[in-house]
Amino acid sequence: MANSRLLEAVPALVDRALQGDRRSIARLISRVEDGGPEAWSALSLIYPRTGRAQIIGVTGAPGTGKSTLVGEIAKLYRKSSPALTVGIVAVDPTSPFSGGAVLGDRIRMRDLSGDEGVFIRSMATRGSLGGLARSTTDVVKVLDAAGFDVIVIETVGAGQSEIEVARTADTVIVVEAPGFGDEVQAIKAGILEIADILVVNKADRDGAQSTVNALHAMLDLGTAPHGLLHHGVLMPSVIPTPAKSDERWQPPILKTIASQGHGIDEVITAVAHHRAFLAAQPEGQQRARLRASMELETILRETLLDRLLQSVGADRLNALIDQVVARTIDPYSAADQLQRAAVQA
Amino acid sequence: MDKKIRVLIAKPGLDGHDRGAKVIARALRDAGMEVIYTGLRQTPEMIAEAALQEDVDAVGLSILSGAHLTLLPRIVNLLRDKGLNDVLVFAGGIIPDEDIAPLKAAGLTAIFGPGTNTDSVVEFIRGQFQTA
Ligand SMILES: Nc1nc2c(ncn2[C@@H]2O[C@H](COP(=O)(O)OP(=O)(O)O)[C@@H](O)[C@H]2O)c(=O)[nH]1
Ligand SMILES: [Mg+2]
């Protein structure tokens, strides 16, 4: 925001960020998040250096313990192999009324502070429809290019844009917690389908087992062919091993007590298994392709719309909006007119 | 392009009340800013590192413990050590009048007393960053 910052040249900033300078990484993330032509040039500079990191998405209803879990996952990765660095992107909603946000995920990641091998960045969803997935993956790219080995994205699991964000990860963990009565939040929010791993957190609370059972029932109704999964044991040590070539991935259901660091090993093991599964299966390649096409599509939609509106001009657009309101023209014909006008301009 | 003013609100020191910090965080959010809130009992090192990672424009420190004369200058120094030279630092809480001058000399831009209206904090930050 401050004027002095705007003068910083992108290529130099990119160089320093790629060398791992933390301040430059942070500034580059801001540039990328703010968008615009400068962000694009930065992203095209770093793109060849991306694709190395393992990306884990963590999603679920507010209060289920996602931030606590993410913190514990990062802590355990760091403990089990100190050479492995972890980046965290924690996304919280922007207030639709003010455009501002309170980003509080760091509160639960306190134990990670002081660890040079960890970098945490909080992000607000901001306005743009569908743009959230793009800006989040762009921020992830900066951390990836800067050399972080594992990158964890935390998003609130409600709504289409969060689902899109989760789909940009290699492995998606959906977090559930008991205490919402009979309702399983993940089902309600339509995010069960995207889960590669299901975690029932707050296993210290009553009702955890019935949540596990409800999830099992849902999975059995869905795609999972039969009960390979381990029922009824707290923090099961049996995790489905990577399936053979023509098999589908069976999302394991794991119990954790994130606030006490229990069950995290199993989560990390399941992530490793899922990674091995993707590497051995065509699904891994398919995911990468799907991701690239979604990304390209989002960028095209944004840039084409921008370009169109620029060439047509706000007056013309506003006049057409008035006509649509007055019902002297339908929105399809209006859109058609705008496109013709843009082509001619 | 979608730029936002980003502010870190932190509570250094050992006292266990963050009501004031939360009130300020919400007021800044309602003014359209992105507020990173880090919770209680933050050490100066934690605060400076969070400010760096979050690339904030300003750091607001809420302090009630009476340790402001040691903690606040230390935070400013750590921020400057990390190269965060243009990050604005302000504080609020229970800070006696006679301590305001030394704190400003130590690099704090503004000190808000206990009765401060949140609007004046919002105005202050806006005033620093609005490129009219
Ligand atoms: N009882 C219990 N509380 C937990 C557990 N994990 C997290 N919490 C608490 O649940 C609340 C919400 O946690 P948070 O990580 O912020 O959830 P998020 O909104 O999903 O990111 C906090 O008060 C945590 O301390 C757990 O395993 N058991
Ligand atoms: Mg959270």
Side-chain angles (χ1 to χ4, degrees):
Chain A
M1 286 308 291
N3 287 334
S4 59
R5 299 192 171 200
L6 297 175
L7 301 173
E8 207 165 15
V10 163
L13 187 61
V14 167
D15 273 350
R16 287 195 304 273
L18 292 182
Q19 283 158 27
D21 174 57
R22 293 166 82 79
R23 177 152 165 68
S24 303
I25 294 169
R27 286 199 162 185
L28 187 57
I29 290 176
S30 301
R31 288 288 184 89
V32 159
E33 201 188 353
D34 290 340
E38 277 205 331
W40 301 338
S41 74
L43 286 161
S44 63
L45 285 172
I46 65 169
Y47 195 74
R49 296 273 294 262
T50 62
R52 221 183 41 85
Q54 177 178 9
I55 301 164
I56 305 171
V58 176
T59 189
T64 48
K66 296 180 296 298
S67 300
T68 314
L69 183 71
V70 169
E72 290 300 315
I73 289 174
K75 225 162 84 184
L76 192 57
Y77 271 125
R78 294 286 301 144
K79 215 175 101 189
S80 55
S81 72
L84 199 103
T85 54
V86 182
I88 297 172
V89 180
V91 188
D92 271 329
T94 291
S95 155
F97 305 107
S98 68
V102 174
L103 312 172
D105 295 315
R106 293 187 84 100
I107 299 172
R108 310 280 166 225
M109 302 176 189
R110 203 171 175 278
D111 291 355
L112 297 170
S113 71
D115 184 346
E116 285 274 314
V118 175
F119 192 104
I120 308 172
R121 183 61 175 240
S122 311
M123 261 182 90
T125 52
R126 298 198 180 172
S128 55
L129 239 179
L132 174 64
R134 183 190 47 72
S135 56
T136 313
T137 38
D138 288 348
V139 169
V140 167
K141 280 190 199 110
V142 175
L143 292 172
D144 185 352
F148 288 91
D149 300 299
V150 176
I151 299 168
V152 189
I153 313 170
E154 176 190 340
T155 57
V156 175
Q160 193 55 43
S161 55
E162 279 77 4
I163 291 179
E164 270 179 49
V165 173
R167 284 174 68 183
T168 64
D170 299 316
T171 300
V172 178
I173 301 176
V174 170
V175 185
E176 190 67 47
F180 293 102
D182 287 339
E183 289 202 322
V184 175
Q185 298 298 302
I187 297 168
K188 211 174 137 198
I191 53 174
L192 191 65
E193 293 80 354
I194 60 166
D196 298 309
I197 297 166
L198 281 153
V199 167
V200 176
N201 188 39
K202 305 198 184 183
D204 52 323
R205 294 234 177 126
D206 288 346
Q209 190 52 46
S210 61
T211 304
V212 170
N213 294 343
L215 289 172
H216 272 303
M218 287 309 293
L219 286 185
D220 290 345
L221 280 178
T223 53
H226 44 72
L228 252 179
L229 304 165
H230 197 71
H231 288 256
V233 179
L234 185 67
M235 271 75 84
S237 52
V238 180
I239 294 160
T241 44
K244 286 194 294 293
S245 59
D246 55 337
E247 279 181 71
R248 299 183 65 113
W249 172 255
Q250 309 265 346
I253 303 175
L254 308 174
K255 284 190 198 171
T256 60
I257 307 173
S259 54
Q260 296 169 29
H262 290 307
I264 313 301
D265 288 17
E266 286 79 358
V267 175
I268 284 184
T269 306
V271 170
H273 284 169
H274 185 249
R275 183 176 167 83
F277 170 84
L278 285 184
Q281 299 293 319
E283 198 186 324
Q285 278 302 311
Q286 285 160 14
R287 270 201 199 203
R289 247 199 102 72
L290 174 70
R291 202 150 54 195
S293 76
M294 277 180 9
E295 203 176 354
L296 195 55
E297 207 176 290
T298 313
I299 295 168
L300 275 174
R301 201 176 293 137
E302 282 183 23
T303 49
L304 285 176
L305 186 64
D306 268 5
R307 240 177 247 181
L308 184 139
L309 295 181
Q310 258 173 34
S311 83
V312 178
D315 290 349
R316 180 101 189 239
L317 177 69
N318 284 326
L320 274 167
I321 292 173
D322 288 340
Q323 289 179 45
V324 173
V325 173
R327 291 198 152 49
T328 53
I329 189 170
D330 67 277
Y332 297 96
S333 308
D336 189 51
Q337 271 194 32
L338 285 172
Q339 286 173 60
R340 283 169 202 279
V343 171
Q344 277 158 22
Chain B
M1 298 280 269
D2 190 8
K3 283 193 191 302
K4 299 274 180 188
I5 299 177
R6 285 170 68 87
V7 185
L8 179 77
I9 295 292
K11 251 201 84 45
L14 296 174
D15 61 293
H17 302 279
D18 63 350
R19 234 183 71 89
K22 282 182 173 160
V23 168
I24 265 302
R26 267 181 235 125
L28 299 182
R29 174 199 63 193
D30 293 344
M33 300 176 201
E34 288 179 358
V35 181
I36 293 94
Y37 183 61
T38 52
L40 292 169
R41 284 183 276 279
Q42 298 284 301
T43 65
E45 287 75 14
M46 285 173 169
I47 293 168
E49 181 61 22
L52 178 142
Q53 291 177 12
E54 300 289 354
D55 189 30
V56 293
D57 303 291
V59 174
L61 301 163
S62 162
I63 188 155
L64 304 168
S65 63
H68 50 273
L69 281 181
T70 49
L71 287 175
L72 301 184
R74 192 167 155 63
I75 292 165
V76 174
N77 287 338
L78 285 169
L79 288 169
R80 305 307 180 229
D81 286 350
K82 287 179 184 288
L84 302 169
N85 298 313
D86 50 4
V87 172
L88 186 79
V89 186
F90 63 97
I94 302 169
I95 295 171
D97 285 346
E98 65 267 27
D99 292 344
I100 292 178
L103 287 174
K104 287 200 167 166
L108 277 94
T109 307
I111 315 282
F112 299 98
T116 308
N117 186 329
T118 54
D119 289 347
S120 50
V121 182
V122 168
E123 283 320 306
F124 160 74
I125 299 176
R126 281 218 179 114
Q128 298 284 325
F129 293 109
Q130 222 115 57
T131 44

